[in-house]
Structure formats: C-alpha cells, structure tokens
C-alpha cells in the first residue's frame, strides 16, 4: 500500500466504542488508543464455559446486562443487584486453553472470585473470566486481507469493526413501517462509527485514513477487508436482554451480501495498516477511498 492515496470521500469519527469483555455490554468513549490488535482494551477479556469455549449473547442474552468500566487500574463489571467485580488491569493468572470460533489458544484465568461472580450474575454454572495473554498472537485470516498479516485478541476475526451512523436510517425506517420502535447502533457493536457519509458507504471503502496524530506524527490507516456477517445478537435489546426478530427480519429484506454467500451484513471488518499507538478521538476527520467491485 502506498504512503498516500487520493481520497474519494471525507467524514469524521462520530463515535468510538469498546467492548472490554467479549459479548458483555460496550462502553462509548471519547478517545481510544489504536493498537495493532484493535482499540485498547477491546475484547481483551472473554467469558468461557467449563470446557473453555467462548460464551456470547447468542447462548446467554443476560450478558448484555453486565456493564464494564475501565478505571485507571482495573476492569469493573457491574451487574444487576450485585456488588461490582473489580479485576486489576494487569492481573495475572494460570494459563488455560480456550476456544474462540476455530482458534484454540492459551489465555490467563482471572480466578475464582471472577468466576463465581459471573456464574451468579449470568446464571451459567462453570463459566470463567479469561484475559488475553500478552505472549499470544491470534492471526486474522489472510483470505480477506489480501495476504497482509494482521492479528487480533478475542474479537470475532478482525481488529476493528467500522460502521456509519447514517446506516441506521434505512433500518429504522423499515422498523417504523413494521410498527416497531427504532434501535440504536449499539445493537451492532461497532468500534468506529463514521459520520458525514451515506448509509452503508463503508461497504465500498477500501482504505480509511484518520487525521494526523500530532503527538506521534503518524496518520492512522485502516484497510476495510471483510463485510461483517450478522448473527441474531442485533435482535437482543441491550437494556432488557429480551430478543425480538424484528431487526433481523428488517435486515433480511435489504442486506444480503453476495461477497459472503448471501449472508446478512452490517459494517465492515478492518485491519490496522499504520498508526498503531496513535489515539483516535471523536470528531477527528477521516478520508477514505472507494473500491467498487
């Protein structure tokens, strides 16, 4: 990829979101450090069952009700009618084998207190909290990256999920026509929400550059590599953890994507090409190039 490119469209960062524990509630932040593996602390922890298999809202919708918070020194988890769980950010633990999708890797177990807290709040016996081990690398599939190497932590497959805020408009119009209430973009668990672009512009973007990080004199650059196929999680209300098929039904009418064999998609998975270590901030300008097929 050349050092510069001619942008086709300009916008801004409208929102930044991180999900410290995979499939628990997210956090909207004003700034986040960009690492090679994605935004700092994003999907850095994960809930696994007694066999080490990752757990998500698909199997346990109550995960949506657990609110994380990152403080200066700890991960806090807040659940209904319980005292918060506090886990030091640099907590160590014994390695245990875990599985996320097709990947089997070592992760650090965060101990009995964390396990018992999650078992109580989620009502799932045997579950445990694990942390991504610093010595481990989890490569992304190069099938979609054009051979470019990339790696992530406990995200489904790629470091950053990019959407546009305008993409909610056609969805909510369809929900309104069906007599259903509008939903928020948090249903789709993006990391980077772009403003100033048309609905689903991200489908056709290839390279996204963020304005210069003055402190590090680097311009962060992401390559949008794979449409994000959707499971039933967007049907789950993040406030109540109740599921309704309305969102999925509405998407089925207009979001089937031939690039992923007709799967329903919303948002684009991205890898980090440049600028790891830079801080992304809400309001920063972005420039992007199209790559229509």
């Amino acid at each position: 990829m050349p050092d510069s490119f001619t942008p086709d469209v300009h916008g801004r960062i409208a929102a930044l979101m991180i999900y410290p524990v995979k499939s628990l509630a997210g956090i909207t932040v004003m700034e986040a450090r960009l690492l090679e593996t994605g935004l700092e602390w994003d999907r850095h922890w994960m809930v696994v069952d007694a066999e080490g298999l990752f757990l998500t809202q698909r199997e346990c919708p109550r995960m949506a009700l657990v609110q994380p918070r990152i403080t200066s020194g700890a991960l806090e988890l807040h659940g209904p009618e319980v005292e918060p769980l506090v886990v030091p950010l640099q907590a160590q633990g014994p390695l245990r084998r875990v599985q996320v999708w097709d990947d089997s890797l070592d992760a650090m177990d965060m101990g009995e207190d964390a396990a018992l807290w999650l078992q109580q709040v989620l009502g799932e016996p045997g579950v445990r909290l694990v942390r991504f081990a610093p010595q481990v690398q989890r490569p992304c599939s190069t099938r979609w990256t054009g051979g470019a190497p990339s790696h992530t932590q406990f995200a489904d497959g790629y470091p950053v999920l990019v959407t546009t805020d305008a993409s909610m408009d056609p969805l909510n119009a369809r929900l309104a026509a069906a007599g259903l209430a509008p939903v928020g973009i948090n249903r789709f668990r993006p990391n980077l929400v772009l403003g100033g672009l048309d609905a689903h512009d991200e489908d056709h973007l290839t390279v996204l550059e963020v304005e210069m990080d003055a402190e590090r004199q680097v311009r962060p650059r992401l390559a949008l590599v794979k449409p994000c196929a959707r499971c039933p999680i967007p049907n789950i209300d993040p406030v109540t953890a109740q599921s309704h098929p309305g969102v999925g039904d509405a998407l089925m009418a207009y979001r089937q994507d031939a690039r992923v064999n007709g799967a329903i998609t919303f948002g684009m998975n991205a890898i980090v090409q440049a600028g790891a270590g830079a801080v992304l901030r809400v309001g920063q300008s972005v420039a992007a190039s199209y790559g229509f097929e």
Side-chain angles (χ1 to χ4, degrees), residues 1 145 160 162 205-208 221-226 268-274:
M1 182 64 62
T145 68
V160 180
V162 180
L205 301 180
T206 55
V207 178
L208 178 73
R221 178 182 290 174
L222 304 177
L224 282 68
V225 296
K226 183 184 181 184
M268 287 289 291
N269 290 295
I271 63 173
V272 180
Q273 285 190 332

Side-chain angles (χ1 to χ4, degrees), residues 200-220:
H200 300 295
D201 253 2
E202 69 272 28
D203 289 349
H204 310 293
L205 301 180
T206 55
V207 178
L208 178 73
E209 280 195 348
V210 182
E211 71 177 76
M212 180 76 70
D213 183 317
E215 180 180 344
R216 290 165 182 79
Q217 289 297 301
V218 63
R219 188 181 297 275

Side-chain angles (χ1 to χ4, degrees), residues 14-15 17 19 161-177 180-190 192-203 230 233-236 238 246-248 250-251 254-255 265-267:
M17 302 177 185
Y19 309 85
L161 180 60
V162 180
T163 62
T164 53
D165 56 6
S167 298
M168 296 306 298
D169 295 339
L171 171 60
N172 281 325
R174 283 170 169 80
L175 292 176
L180 300 173
V183 298
I185 203 166
N186 57 338
R187 294 271 186 134
F188 296 94
R189 303 177 69 81
L192 181 60
V193 182
L194 303 178
L197 281 73
D198 292 337
H200 300 295
D201 253 2
E202 69 272 28
D203 289 349
R230 289 298 170 173
I233 286 179
N235 286 329
I236 299 172
V247 172
L251 292 172
Y254 73 111
R255 289 299 303 166
T265 67
F266 195 106

Side-chain angles (χ1 to χ4, degrees), residues 127-184:
V127 297
R128 304 188 70 84
L129 182 67
V130 297
R131 176 187 171 200
F132 201 86
Q135 68 272 26
V136 171
Q137 282 197 348
R138 182 172 166 239
C140 303
S141 171
T142 55
R143 174 189 171 193
W144 288 92
T145 68
S150 183
H151 55 280
T152 189
Q153 297 194 356
F154 291 134
D156 278 352
Y158 297 87
V160 180
L161 180 60
V162 180
T163 62
T164 53
D165 56 6
S167 298
M168 296 306 298
D169 295 339
L171 171 60
N172 281 325
R174 283 170 169 80
L175 292 176
L180 300 173
V183 298

